[in-house]
Amino acid sequence: MAGRVEGKVALVTGAASGLGKAMAVMLAREGARVAVTDRNEEGARDVAQSIGASARAWTLDVTSEEDWRRVVDEVSSTFGRLDVLVNNAGVGAVADIESTTLEQWRFVHAVNVDGVFLGCKHGIRAMRQCGAKGSIINISSVAGLVGVAEFPAYSSSKGAVRLLSKSVALHCANKGYGIRCNSVHPSFIETPMVDKLATAMGDPQASRAKLARKIPLGSLGEPDDIAYAVLYLASDESKMMTGSEFVVDGGTTAT
């Protein structure tokens, strides 16, 4: 049987580890050719090699428009088209509003917001050039839906991703491009980012247990939980979804 994204070309940012790696692997498993991109050149190359012939690695700093132009053009040239863009790369800062520095604030927003803006801009360009009925998937967070006292910069940036996604969705719909845009909102997932967060909060084991208790289902999520959501939004199964929020949070925002 053909895979759920058979014949599509997908570009995933921040794909050297964590959520991005799980997304790249799953999209390839379901039939897509995948551009594995990350600032971590070696990590991106390792993931692409583990996937096999259907994947290629590119070095991409999502805050650089020059990088975006180059990578999107090279991916389109290599694979012949671009159908799916997953803006996954992200960073955080564990600091409340009184202790967050302006440097931290700007860095988090540069990666989490500027990077998504640039991805959408150049992703749309590439999809239009090849006539793709494309899907842009922006990874936000439950922190983009509810306030989190400990992470103001992260929360602000992920809230911006949520509304940017809606704006992009309406723009593409109004123009008749056939390009959809949706946001995905995970809770705490078993990734290197959450490992760093738990360490920054103090005792890693106790911190992980504390994070799990914030989730009504009682456990941290796994990367594939988010990868399956991305797979659905990348596939034609979701052809009527645009400007929507796909929440995968174990009930966190229901409380």
Side-chain angles (χ1 to χ4, degrees):
M1 293 179 61
R4 293 169 67 185
V5 286
E6 191 74 30
K8 296 184 184 292
V9 173
L11 188 160
V12 183
T13 69
S17 64
L19 295 182
K21 177 181 178 180
M23 294 166 192
V25 169
M26 186 171 291
L27 288 167
R29 189 185 74 198
E30 291 293 331
R33 290 173 291 169
V34 182
V36 179
T37 76
D38 203 289
R39 286 190 306 175
N40 177 353
E41 180 179 3
E42 182 179 358
R45 187 170 59 249
D46 288 345
V47 170
Q49 289 176 348
S50 73
I51 292 171
S54 61
R56 286 275 305 275
W58 276 268
T59 305
L60 172 62
D61 176 355
V62 296
T63 67
S64 166
E65 186 160 22
E66 181 180 350
D67 269 18
W68 270 110
R69 286 195 185 97
R70 172 183 57 80
V71 170
V72 165
D73 288 347
E74 289 180 4
V75 169
S76 297
S77 176
T78 299
F79 292 126
R81 59 188 301 108
L82 180 64
D83 301 279
V84 178
L85 169 64
V86 187
N87 284 308
N88 165 72
V91 295
V94 184
D96 63 28
I97 190 64
E98 294 185 87
S99 56
T100 298
T101 66
L102 184 57
E103 181 181 18
Q104 287 175 313
W105 176 269
R106 286 175 171 168
F107 175 64
V108 169
H109 283 78
V111 175
N112 295 1
V113 185
D114 297 355
V116 174
F117 156 70
L118 290 170
C120 291
K121 177 180 178 179
H122 290 284
I124 290 169
R125 172 176 63 82
M127 291 174 185
R128 289 187 64 202
Q129 285 173 349
C130 70
K133 290 188 177 296
S135 176
I136 298 173
I137 305 159
N138 296 328
I139 307 304
S140 179
S141 168
V142 292
L145 298 172
V146 298
V148 182
E150 298 88 350
F151 322 124
Y154 185 77
S155 298
S156 172
S157 68
K158 292 303 186 177
V161 169
R162 170 180 174 264
L163 287 181
L164 173 60
S165 301
K166 294 180 183 297
S167 178
V168 170
L170 292 174
H171 169 78
C172 291
N174 292 341
K175 292 287 187 178
Y177 291 161
I179 298 170
R180 299 178 293 110
C181 183
N182 295 282
S183 57
V184 177
H185 298 258
S187 187
F188 299 112
I189 307 294
E190 295 271 13
T191 62
M193 180 180 285
V194 167
D195 289 341
K196 291 178 182 177
L197 171 62
T199 300
M201 291 171 62
D203 176 70
Q205 186 172 354
S207 297
R208 287 168 65 84
K210 180 179 179 181
L211 293 175
R213 286 195 298 272
K214 292 178 180 289
I215 301 174
L217 285 182
S219 64
L220 302 180
E222 299 175 354
D224 275 357
D225 295 329
I226 310 306
Y228 276 115
V230 167
L231 174 62
Y232 171 69
L233 292 173
S235 76
D236 294 338
E237 298 161 16
S238 59
K239 62 184 176 61
M240 277 296 288
M241 283 190 68
T242 196
S244 297
E245 299 152 3
F246 203 115
V247 182
V248 189
D249 70 349
T252 302
T253 55
T255 58

